[in-house]
Amino acid sequence: MTQTDPTNSVDPGGAVTAPGLAMEFDHWSSKMAYSPYDVWSRLRNECPVARTPRHGGYFVLSRYEDVFAAALDTDIYSSDGDGLGVAIPPQELRPLYPIDLDPPHHTKYRQLLNPFFNMRAVAKLEGWIRDLARELIAAFPSSGTFDVCSAFTLPLPRRVGFKMLSFPEEYTEEVSELVEAIMSDVTDRQGEAAPKLFARLSGILAERKSGTRQDDLLDTVVFGEIDGTPVSDEQSFAMLVLLLMGGLSTTSAALAVMIEWLADHPEDRKRLSEHPELHSVAVEEFVRFSSPVAHIGRTAMADTEVHGCPIPKGSRVLLGFGSANRDEREFERPDEVIINRQPNRHAGFGIGPHRCIGSHLAKLQLKVALQELLAAMPPFHVHDHGQTHWVGSESRMMDRLILGMG
C-alpha cells in the first residue's frame, strides 16, 4: 500500500493517525487475489476507512462492525446507486437483478427465485450431487499428482448450476469460460467476453421462450412476473447472468480452499473423519475462511461518516467481506480454520437482505464434497504450493491446485 495523501500522518510505529488515508488499493490486483491478508490487516488496524483512486475512486470499509452495519443500511449504502450497481467498476450490463436493487424491489425478485433455493428444494438435490461427487472423485488418479481444481472444484459447482438451470449441455463449457473471464479480468468485463456472453445467453433465452413450458428455474427466469407484469427480455437476461456468476465460481472457491486446508492439516482431516457431527459446523468455517465474495460495492446515497471519516453523497464504497471475516475483534484466531468454531457470525454469504440466495445449495455441495472426499480419498497433500493459481475481482478463486496422492 502506498500512502498518497500528505494530509494523513503516520506515527513512527506505522499507525495511521488520521482517517481516510488515500492509498494504492485495487481489489482487482493479483496481490488481492493471491494474498490479501496483510493488506486487510493493515486496513483494519491502521485505516479502517481508506480511499483509493483506482477505478474512479472509492472508499474501503474493512472492519467487521462497519461492513456489517453498512450491509444492513440500504438507505445510505445503496446496491442500486442510481444505476451504478454493486460492481466496481460498474458492469456494462446493469442492473443485474436482484443484486443491483434495494428493497423493496430487490425483495420481489428474491421471492420469484427463492422457491428453487430454499432448504426443502435444495435438499432434493442431495442424492444427485452425491452421485456426481463420487463420479468425479472416482476419476482421480490413485498415485502421482493432479489438478484438483480442473478435476473437482470447478466441474462440481458448474454441473450443479447448469442442472439447476436446465441449461443446454452443448453450451456449458463456452458459457463457463466466458463467465470466468468476466469475473476475473477487468479488461474482459469491459471487452470481448461480455458481448460474446450476451449473444450466447440471448440465444438460449429466446429458444426457451419459444418452446414448451417446463416449470423449472430457467422458465421462471424467462416467464416470471413481478407485480403481475411479465419480466422483460432484459430482466430475464440479467437474472440469468447473475445466477451464472453466483453459482459457477463462488462454491468452487470455497471447495478449493477447503481441500487445500485439509491437505495441509491432516489432523483436521482425521478429526472430521472421526466426528461427522462437525461437518456442518466445519462447512460454515470454510466459508468464513475462504470468503469467496471478498468485496462488494455500494453507493453512498447521503453524506455520512465512519470513524470520523466523511463519505460524501455519491461516493462509491467497497464493503470488505473478506477482511471482515478475518477481523480479530470478532473472531479468535481469524487466520486459522477452527473446524468446531461456534458461534460463527461470518459474512461469507453476505449480510442482510442481499445474503446469497444460493447459500443452502453452496453449503450442501461443500458438505457432500467433504464427506465424499473423506470417505474415498487416500492421504493427500499439496504437491507444490508454487503452482497454485488464483484469480480475483470482487471474488477470489483458485483455479489450479496440484495435489499429490499418498
Side-chain angles (χ1 to χ4, degrees), residues 80-85 90 94-95:
D80 180 346
D82 290 335
L84 291 174
R94 60 184 190 272

Side-chain angles (χ1 to χ4, degrees), residues 59-73:
F59 290 86
V60 185
L61 303 184
S62 53
R63 287 184 180 172
Y64 181 93
E65 64 174 352
D66 301 330
V67 171
F68 199 99
L72 292 177
D73 190 350

Side-chain angles (χ1 to χ4, degrees), residues 294-363:
H295 308 97
I296 202 77
R298 296 287 190 268
T299 301
M301 302 305 289
D303 291 344
T304 188
E305 68 175 50
V306 180
H307 297 294
C309 176
I311 300 178
K313 178 180 178 180
S315 299
R316 300 288 271 154
V317 182
L318 195 72
L319 308 187
F321 289 135
S323 177
N325 278 335
R326 298 297 183 103
D327 193 341
E328 54 281 350
R329 297 161 189 80
E330 176 67 21
F331 302 101
E332 182 182 359
R333 293 156 53 198
D335 294 322
E336 301 175 41
V337 169
I338 300 175
I339 58 175
N340 63 339
R341 187 189 295 276
Q342 287 182 307
N344 192 348
R345 296 172 65 243
H346 66 78
F349 290 119
I351 297 165
H354 283 283
R355 178 179 165 83
C356 175
I357 195 173
S359 61
H360 297 307
L361 182 60
K363 287 192 285 187

Side-chain angles (χ1 to χ4, degrees), residues 53-266:
R54 302 305 301 270
H55 309 298
Y58 56 95
F59 290 86
V60 185
L61 303 184
S62 53
R63 287 184 180 172
Y64 181 93
E65 64 174 352
D66 301 330
V67 171
F68 199 99
L72 292 177
D73 190 350
T74 58
D75 290 333
I76 296 294
Y77 299 97
S78 170
S79 297
D80 180 346
D82 290 335
L84 291 174
V86 301
I88 300 176
Q91 295 270 11
E92 289 294 313
L93 172 72
R94 60 184 190 272
L96 291 181
Y97 302 95
I99 197 171
D100 286 342
L101 298 175
D102 297 317
H105 302 297
H106 165 268
T107 308
K108 296 173 183 178
Y109 285 88
R110 290 281 295 229
Q111 290 172 340
L112 179 67
L113 300 172
N114 270 339
F116 298 93
F117 293 98
N118 63 39
M119 291 183 68
R120 182 178 299 179
V122 165
K124 295 177 182 178
L125 293 171
E126 180 173 349
W128 183 86
I129 293 172
R130 196 171 295 278
D131 288 343
L132 174 58
R134 289 173 177 172
E135 172 194 326
L136 294 171
I137 293 169
F140 291 180
S142 57
S143 61
T145 63
F146 73 107
D147 177 12
V148 74
C149 291
S150 62
F152 189 74
T153 69
L154 293 173
L156 178 71
R158 286 176 179 174
R159 289 177 63 176
V160 171
F162 286 129
K163 179 179 176 62
M164 288 279 293
L165 285 162
S166 306
F167 216 76
E169 188 172 349
E170 63 268 28
Y171 300 133
T172 57
E173 184 174 354
E174 176 192 11
V175 170
S176 293
E177 291 175 355
L178 290 172
V179 169
E180 184 173 330
I182 290 170
M183 292 191 69
S184 61
D185 191 324
V186 70
T187 57
D188 278 325
R189 173 175 287 185
Q190 300 174 327
E192 295 182 358
K196 287 181 180 178
L197 182 65
F198 180 88
R200 175 57 67 206
L201 295 185
S202 295
I204 291 170
L205 289 169
E207 183 177 340
R208 174 58 72 97
K209 195 167 189 177
S210 64
T212 304
R213 294 291 298 265
Q214 299 183 37
D215 194 29
D216 56 12
L217 177 57
L218 190 56
D219 250 25
T220 298
V221 169
V222 172
F223 298 106
E225 295 183 355
I226 302 293
D227 290 334
T229 301
V231 296
S232 66
D233 291 346
E234 180 186 52
Q235 290 167 321
S236 294
F237 179 79
M239 281 191 284
L240 180 57
V241 170
L242 182 60
L243 288 169
L244 290 169
M245 293 176 72
L248 301 190
S249 63
T250 53
T251 305
S252 294
L255 278 171
V257 170
M258 179 179 76
I259 292 171
E260 182 186 45
W261 180 270
L262 295 175
D264 288 340
H265 298 84

Side-chain angles (χ1 to χ4, degrees), residues 344-382:
N344 192 348
R345 296 172 65 243
H346 66 78
F349 290 119
I351 297 165
H354 283 283
R355 178 179 165 83
C356 175
I357 195 173
S359 61
H360 297 307
L361 182 60
K363 287 192 285 187
L364 177 61
Q365 291 179 74
L366 287 163
K367 185 176 180 179
V368 167
L370 174 63
Q371 292 170 342
E372 297 303 322
L373 290 166
L374 291 173
M377 279 189 74
F380 59 96
H381 59 277
V382 177

